[in-house]
Amino acid sequence: MLKTSLSLALLLSLSLACSSESEKITIGTEGHYHPYNFINEDGEVAGFERELGNELCRRTRLECDWVTNDWDSIIANLNGGNYDAIMAGMSITDEREELIDFSQPYVPPSPSVYLALAGSGDEAANGKVAVQEATVQADYLSESGASMVEYKLAEGPITAVLNGDADATFVDSGLAHDKIAETGGKLAIVGPAVSLDRGIGVGLRQDNGDLKDKFDRAIDAIKQDGFLNDLIEEWFGPDADTF
């Protein structure tokens, strides 16, 4: 009887230990979209989304690893099973929802804006516009018939404007304000602002409803307790759009 009791106690202990283990998932990001995500001096993923993702994982008791992936194949490799979620400044759009699911937004809808050299004037928005490929901004310019040139990474269009290879770039407003500060005011917003999305969310495979529910609940919690708004203001400044 004693051996039986000890065996049952051991099995119960092992069962509890297993049930308390965190689920392991991998989050894919680009690593070239400051301040959303970037690679720091230690070669690690950093930025607003890394800090946010770590908090979401803590609250959902998920053990999360981070990997980087080129932007133009980031959705394909999510659906291919290379990682479980995307946190890469990805706008929620109807077109993308045909391919993947999204959590509720963790960044509110904000307009896309044109950036040009300071003093250029609004006419720069009607000139040659540089843009990152496979973005909502690139889709919009393509449909509008604007004169544009595409770059693989988000830094490409910024560099093109600074070097005089393009009249303007068309980017998310959060990135725009970051680049204005980073360049010491060499860049300025010109022309009209355009609303293109429904905010930024976690990208998920369409067959992973359980993980979507976990992220949705965690995002709702950090909205309610103020953590998310504080983090947005920390990374994007006190004038950033919040929830």
Side-chain angles (χ1 to χ4, degrees):
M1 177 65 78
L2 180 58
K3 288 183 178 180
T4 301
S5 298
L6 289 173
S7 297
L8 289 173
L10 179 60
L11 287 172
L12 178 60
S13 175
L14 289 172
S15 176
L16 289 172
C18 290
S19 65
S20 65
E21 288 182 359
S22 298
E23 176 186 354
K24 295 182 179 180
I25 70 164
T26 303
I27 300 175
T29 193
E30 184 189 17
H32 295 282
Y33 202 58
H34 193 284
Y36 289 92
N37 57 81
F38 57 92
I39 304 302
N40 64 18
E41 294 178 353
D42 296 323
E44 298 178 346
V45 174
F48 165 73
E49 284 171 317
R50 178 62 189 265
E51 192 169 345
L52 171 62
N54 286 348
E55 179 65 14
L56 294 177
C57 290
R58 186 187 71 80
R59 296 198 184 207
T60 53
R61 297 183 181 179
L62 294 170
E63 183 178 333
C64 297
D65 291 326
W66 290 77
V67 297
T68 56
N69 193 99
D70 289 344
W71 175 254
D72 57 2
S73 61
I74 201 166
I75 288 179
N77 283 325
L78 169 69
N79 284 331
N82 289 4
Y83 31 84
D84 304 290
I86 294 171
M87 292 186 70
M90 182 170 284
S91 299
I92 303 169
T93 66
D94 293 342
E95 292 76 15
R96 287 175 178 154
E97 285 186 319
E98 294 178 3
L99 303 173
I100 61 175
D101 278 342
F102 283 95
S103 70
Q104 63 170 293
Y106 56 76
V107 173
S110 59
S112 293
V113 297
Y114 293 89
L115 268 185
L117 290 175
S120 296
D122 289 348
E123 63 272 12
N126 297 318
K128 184 179 179 181
V129 182
V131 69
Q132 184 180 14
E133 64 185 25
T135 59
V136 293
Q137 291 83 13
D139 291 343
Y140 173 82
L141 291 178
S142 178
E143 292 174 3
S144 73
S147 172
M148 72 172 190
V149 57
E150 295 182 89
Y151 292 83
K152 186 177 181 66
L153 300 179
E155 291 295 334
I158 304 296
T159 301
V161 173
L162 291 171
N163 290 343
D165 297 325
D167 298 300
T169 182
F170 189 46
V171 296
D172 166 85
S173 60
L175 180 65
H177 289 292
D178 180 70
K179 294 305 177 185
I180 290 171
E182 183 182 299
T183 59
K186 292 181 180 179
L187 298 170
I189 293 174
V190 299
V194 185
S195 297
L196 298 176
D197 61 37
R198 305 195 309 275
I200 292 172
V202 181
L204 301 147
R205 286 189 293 275
Q206 292 176 338
D207 62 357
N208 206 346
D210 287 345
L211 187 57
K212 179 182 184 304
D213 289 343
K214 288 179 180 179
F215 275 115
D216 277 338
R217 289 195 298 270
I219 293 170
D220 187 59
I222 61 173
K223 286 178 178 176
Q224 295 296 326
D225 65 20
F227 177 91
L228 182 53
N229 283 346
D230 289 344
L231 192 65
I232 290 173
E233 291 182 358
E234 176 186 339
W235 281 97
F236 297 98
D239 295 328
D241 293 330
T242 55
F243 292 97

